[in-house]
Amino acid sequence: MKITIEERMLHFKQPAGTSRGIYTTRKIWLVKVTDSAVVGVGECAPLPQLSCDDIPNYGEVLRHFCDEVEQTGKIPYEAMRDYPSMLFGLETAFTNFDTAFSRGEVGIPINGLIWMGSFEEMNQRIEQKLEQGFRCVKLKIGAIDFDAELELIKNIRSRYSHHEVELRVDANGAFTFDEALYKLELLSQYALHSIEQPLKAGQWGNMAELCRESPLPIALDEELIGVNDPEQKRQLLNIIKPHYIVLKPSLHGGMMGVREWVDVARDMFIGSWITSALESNVGLNAIAQLCSNIYGDHITMPQGLGTGQLFTDNIPMPLEIRGDKLWSGLRPSGE
């Protein structure tokens, strides 16, 4: 067995605005596993200033783990718990899923993601997603004036009821604790599905209180980063008691870690969905396959798998968005 590493720089078609700044490029590492004639490829893609394994010597540490896998033939799962993006890449290279999605028999419903921008930009992007057939739209908020963001949401609701279009918002920790409940009450007027991460991560007590008092269902995202021990995962969810958790394999423990989060959440009757984190099509394909494997062939809750069209130099994969679903390969005849 031989594992090679290829470092790549991807370029966004248009700048991607996030709570941590604006991305114009995306650095990834592709791991290629060769064993006789079998070749597996995985993507390791830490997010700058966010991933718990965003470290200066990333390539060296990844090479170390690849060397160990070459020698033993096994992924050192426990040793890699604190390196989720590396773990996810190696897991992808060694995993083959056989699901209705991978066979091209069913599509996975996804939300249309509206990036942060000016009022005019976000409004235009919303219109485009609705025209494309999306019936679940997720808005990144916290970048422009809150009143303007409310106006955007009000505008959608004036034309589409919650039965017609599901609205999700993601604050990426933009609210302070003192203002959060008031803002959630204002947002709740518009029948939103949920809000992701209203407070910055690490405020377990404040987040728990907000989850108890909120008129809107709260989903955790950044809160889960770096919580890689199974018992600590259970402790976090038991203290905060969110309505949902949003899982990204590159951030939340690879495939193994995501399965652990889903199992713990199910035990506590907490919902979950899976989303990509600005990976190339290699990572997106693996996340979609994992999603289908975990949730089954008949997924009804929209997942966050719509980021595969972001790059000018993406890696070709048999993925296609048709309407509001992500499909793999060719649709069987009769569909």
Side-chain angles (χ1 to χ4, degrees), residues 41-166:
V41 180
E43 177 179 354
C44 304
L47 278 172
Q49 302 175 44
L50 186 62
S51 297
C52 62
D53 56 357
D54 173 34
I55 52 178
N57 59 337
Y58 188 94
E60 295 175 22
V61 175
L62 177 59
R63 183 68 260 174
H64 166 77
F65 285 125
C66 289
D67 290 344
E68 185 172 343
V69 175
E70 282 182 340
Q71 295 166 11
T72 65
K74 298 178 180 179
I75 297 174
Y77 284 99
E78 292 303 317
M80 295 189 73
R81 277 192 178 274
D82 292 333
Y83 304 91
S85 65
M86 299 184 199
L87 176 57
F88 175 60
L90 283 170
E91 287 175 309
T92 299
F94 281 93
T95 303
N96 286 308
F97 290 108
D98 182 18
T99 65
F101 171 77
S102 66
R103 296 189 297 270
E105 297 168 4
V106 299
I108 298 175
I110 61 175
N111 61 243
L113 179 60
I114 309 301
W115 289 99
M116 291 179 175
S118 68
F119 181 93
E120 292 75 18
E121 288 170 337
M122 293 181 73
N123 196 45
Q124 183 180 16
R125 291 165 188 168
I126 290 167
E127 293 296 332
Q128 289 173 346
K129 293 299 180 185
L130 295 176
E131 288 174 7
Q132 290 166 10
F134 284 94
R135 288 298 169 259
C136 176
V137 177
K138 173 179 168 179
L139 287 78
K140 295 272 190 178
I141 63 173
I144 60 178
D145 179 72
F146 183 70
D147 290 336
E149 291 168 339
L150 279 178
E151 191 62 31
L152 275 171
I153 295 168
K154 180 181 178 181
N155 183 41
I156 300 173
R157 273 290 169 258
S158 68
R159 292 177 296 138
Y160 301 97
S161 74
H162 67 280
H163 298 294
E164 296 171 296
V165 174
E166 180 178 286

Side-chain angles (χ1 to χ4, degrees), residues 87 101 103 145 147 176 195 213 224 236 259 274 276 286 335:
L87 176 57
F101 171 77
R103 296 189 297 270
D145 179 72
D147 290 336
T176 66
I195 180 169
E213 302 295 332
L224 313 179
L236 182 150
R259 291 184 191 279
I274 293 175
S276 52
E335 284 285 337

Side-chain angles (χ1 to χ4, degrees), residues 6-76:
E6 178 189 351
E7 192 175 311
R8 279 204 191 189
M9 187 71 75
L10 303 177
H11 299 82
F12 284 91
K13 292 178 180 177
Q14 56 187 18
T18 74
S19 60
R20 286 159 297 281
I22 297 175
Y23 292 143
T24 57
T25 59
R26 179 80 165 98
K27 190 175 183 180
I28 65 170
W29 287 258
L30 296 175
V31 291
K32 300 181 180 181
V33 179
T34 306
D35 191 359
S36 299
V38 179
V39 177
V41 180
E43 177 179 354
C44 304
L47 278 172
Q49 302 175 44
L50 186 62
S51 297
C52 62
D53 56 357
D54 173 34
I55 52 178
N57 59 337
Y58 188 94
E60 295 175 22
V61 175
L62 177 59
R63 183 68 260 174
H64 166 77
F65 285 125
C66 289
D67 290 344
E68 185 172 343
V69 175
E70 282 182 340
Q71 295 166 11
T72 65
K74 298 178 180 179
I75 297 174

